[in-house]
Amino acid sequence: MLITRLELENWKSYARATIEFREGTNAIIGPNGAGKSSLIEAVGFCLFNHRSASLAQCLREGAESGRVVVGMVSSFDEREYEVERAFNSRTTTRYRVLDRELGGVAIVDNAEDVQAWLRQHLCVAPTAALDALFENAVGVPQGTYTAPFQQAPALRKAIFNPLLQVEEYAQASERLLETQRYIGEQMAALNEEIARAEGELTRLPALEREAAELGEALAA
């Protein structure tokens, strides 16, 4: 996925802002309190359904509604899309995906379908928890990158197993065991057929002699 643009309306300290990103590494620079983290949080809110605060806290003070739009190039089909999420202090009021190459036509327009679409176009597992992916891998706050590694084993497992899709690999392993058992059964059946065929082949010389004797008797 390549993020190309971020558009904010009444998001935290931003009344209105549009930020264009270039391909490659982009640096967000500014003094403390300038709103750098708010940009990352807006991406998490729109693409990963992640919030570190309530909707009321995400809404600019005095505003009745807000909106975040993320322009992106899909990792799935390399087309350009926009994901738009509008909200008020209580709920999300609009959540949709627009196809830029079709003139901005809305192709997905409800929260559940948007999240499923995002999983596909971010190329993550259909069962992936996008908010946990953002919190633990994409939008990790500064100074906390190594914190999960210092947790107790059970807590580390809870964090890293979903990121590494351990459960999906375990399920795939179980399915492969079923395939292995099926192939083993088919091989056993084929070996029985081969054994029977080999047994019949051992009788072939005697049958050939018998046929020759019968031919001679008929000729006489």
Side-chain angles (χ1 to χ4, degrees), residues 48 130-141 145 148 159-160 163:
F48 295 88
L130 293 180
D131 57 340
L133 176 62
F134 180 83
E135 182 175 354
N136 295 313
V138 179
V140 181
Y145 290 102
I159 293 172
F160 289 108
L163 291 177

Side-chain angles (χ1 to χ4, degrees), residues 145-172:
Y145 290 102
T146 61
F149 297 94
Q150 300 170 1
Q151 300 285 350
L155 295 177
R156 291 202 305 269
K157 183 177 180 180
I159 293 172
F160 289 108
N161 278 14
L163 291 177
L164 300 174
Q165 301 181 26
V166 172
E167 182 62 28
E168 285 80 0
Y169 281 113
Q171 293 174 1

Side-chain angles (χ1 to χ4, degrees), residues 93-106:
T93 57
R94 183 171 62 248
Y95 203 2
R96 61 182 182 173
V97 178
L98 309 175
D99 190 325
R100 296 296 301 169
E101 297 183 22
L102 294 179
V105 174

Side-chain angles (χ1 to χ4, degrees), residues 15-64:
R16 290 184 181 274
T18 300
I19 302 167
E20 303 287 342
F21 296 100
R22 298 180 179 179
E23 187 173 355
T25 302
N26 291 258
I28 301 173
I29 302 172
N32 290 340
K36 302 185 298 296
S37 296
S38 295
L39 301 179
I40 305 300
E41 291 169 357
V43 172
F45 174 69
C46 192
L47 296 187
F48 295 88
N49 196 30
H50 180 272
R51 291 203 323 266
S52 57
S54 68
L55 286 174
Q57 292 172 313
C58 293
L59 191 62
R60 180 177 168 83
E61 186 175 355
E64 295 183 356

